[in-house]
Amino acid sequence: MAAQGIRERTTLRRTGFLVAALLMLVVAAFLSLAVGSRDMSLGTVWSALLHGGDSPDAVVVRSMRVPRTVVGIAVGAALGLAGTVMQGLTRNPIAEPGILGISTGAAVGVVTAIAVFGVGSLTGYVWFGLAGALLTGVAVYAVASRGRGGATPVKLALAGQALAASLGAVVTGILTTDQRTLDEYRFWLAGSLSGRTADVAWQVLPFLAVGATLVIAVARGLDALALGDDVAAGLGRNVAAIRIVGGLGAVVLTGAAVAATGPIAFVGLAVPHAARALVGTDHRWVLAMSAVLAPALLLVSDVIGRVIFPPAEVGVGVMTALLGVPVLILLVRRRPVAAA
């Protein structure tokens, strides 16, 4: 009875934190719709959402800010889920979506689109960035799986960083010899939600849905992996399948997110630690909390970036780094950083 009471209190506490995080996300979404170079009241935003219309405010909300906010929520959730899974798969508390070189692979895809195929639109970059991320993920796993022990966490991390270094050199080589490509690429590199339209949202949402489904499917397996590969196998878990499915999900999530907005720092690193501090180490709860906290952080960062130096905007990738560093430092100082 005592154990059951503890479980019930734990579940109630976790539910309370998750509901609070959802409310934070709702507030962040409304701020994203209302705040910008053209500030609006929440009543104006609500009227534009419900009734539409041809007024300037309604057009701005429905055609510009709604797609931007939807992309921000989707990308934030993707990075939060991917970071949680990467930390769980590698049992590395400083793992984040870029540890397997996925972000660099997406960058190669974008640079190739610009330099080789002359693509000049964001909707065109997305497909190339996603393809580069997926191919990089497959290449990393293929390299890490060779030899004794298969694709262990250490081998995956080393293979990812080695491939990222090589691909980074390719990107640098192209950019230093092609001014037009550099001019186009630097806007994507900063990481931003600006100019993200409904077309971009529809392009990335299916991939994000697939990636989320894959990582949710391995949540219990990640709990077992936290105890070690041998213990997980002893509990009847297929360690290789967990790593393949979870890794594929993280690659799809990261690839789609980075392709849509450019590389965004610290969200996938800091948010899983914040989630574990609130709900414990059960990956079902950590994944749910990360999927809510990460987009809230991303949208708040985007709103601050819009108003800090008006009328110019600071890219959300810059703001998440500035906000994420003190959050991570605070978490490290307040409690031990545990592996997933």
Side-chain angles (χ1 to χ4, degrees):
M1 293 296 292
Q4 182 179 354
I6 293 174
R7 285 195 297 270
E8 290 177 352
R9 287 194 296 272
T10 300
T11 300
L12 184 62
R13 177 177 59 83
R14 289 169 168 171
T15 303
F17 280 128
L18 185 58
V19 170
L22 284 169
L23 292 176
M24 288 174 52
L25 178 57
V26 171
V27 171
F30 269 101
L31 287 175
S32 178
L33 295 173
V35 176
S37 58
R38 187 188 188 97
D39 288 336
M40 305 174 197
S41 68
L42 293 182
T44 301
V45 171
W46 190 251
S47 177
L49 292 175
L50 291 181
H51 307 297
D54 297 326
S55 67
D57 287 344
V59 171
V60 168
V61 170
R62 294 174 70 89
S63 65
M64 298 175 62
R65 293 188 182 174
V66 167
R68 179 173 184 158
T69 302
V70 170
V71 171
I73 292 173
V75 167
L79 294 175
L81 290 171
T84 301
V85 172
M86 292 310 305
Q87 291 174 13
L89 289 177
T90 62
R91 297 196 296 276
N92 182 349
I94 61 171
E96 48 90 29
I99 195 172
L100 296 184
I102 308 304
S103 297
T104 309
V108 171
V110 171
V111 168
T112 301
I114 298 170
V116 178
F117 297 97
V119 176
S121 67
L122 181 63
T123 53
Y125 298 161
V126 170
W127 295 108
F128 285 89
L130 182 59
L134 293 175
L135 290 173
T136 301
V138 172
V140 168
Y141 188 83
V143 171
S145 62
R146 297 181 64 86
R148 295 176 57 186
T152 64
V154 173
K155 290 171 67 177
L156 283 169
L158 290 175
Q161 291 305 298
L163 196 57
S166 300
L167 294 177
V170 172
V171 171
T172 301
I174 295 174
L175 295 179
T176 54
T177 57
D178 189 333
Q179 184 64 42
R180 185 186 69 83
T181 300
L182 175 61
D183 292 339
E184 291 275 351
Y185 175 75
R186 63 190 178 91
F187 293 106
W188 177 86
L189 181 63
S192 176
L193 295 177
S194 178
R196 271 55 182 181
T197 63
D199 290 338
V200 174
W202 284 115
Q203 283 178 327
V204 300
L205 284 175
F207 294 98
L208 298 177
V210 170
T213 301
L214 291 174
V215 300
I216 291 170
V218 299
R220 288 188 176 274
L222 293 175
D223 289 336
L225 278 185
L227 303 174
D229 289 3
D230 292 338
V231 175
L235 293 173
R237 301 291 180 179
N238 187 328
V239 174
I242 293 171
R243 285 220 167 89
I244 291 173
V245 174
L248 179 60
V251 167
V252 173
L253 289 169
T254 304
V258 173
T261 61
I264 295 177
F266 276 98
V267 174
L269 173 61
V271 166
H273 289 294
R276 277 190 288 272
L278 294 173
V279 298
T281 57
D282 186 325
H283 276 88
R284 291 172 297 174
W285 286 96
V286 176
L287 287 168
M289 183 61 77
S290 295
V292 177
L293 284 180
L297 171 63
L298 195 65
L299 291 181
V300 169
S301 300
D302 185 45
V303 169
I304 295 174
R306 296 184 214 177
V307 302
I308 192 171
F309 293 122
E313 289 189 12
V314 179
V316 69
V318 176
M319 294 308 304
T320 55
L322 293 175
L323 295 176
V325 169
V327 170
L328 192 59
I329 291 174
L330 179 63
L331 288 170
V332 171
R333 288 177 61 86
R334 286 177 60 89
R335 60 191 293 140
V337 177

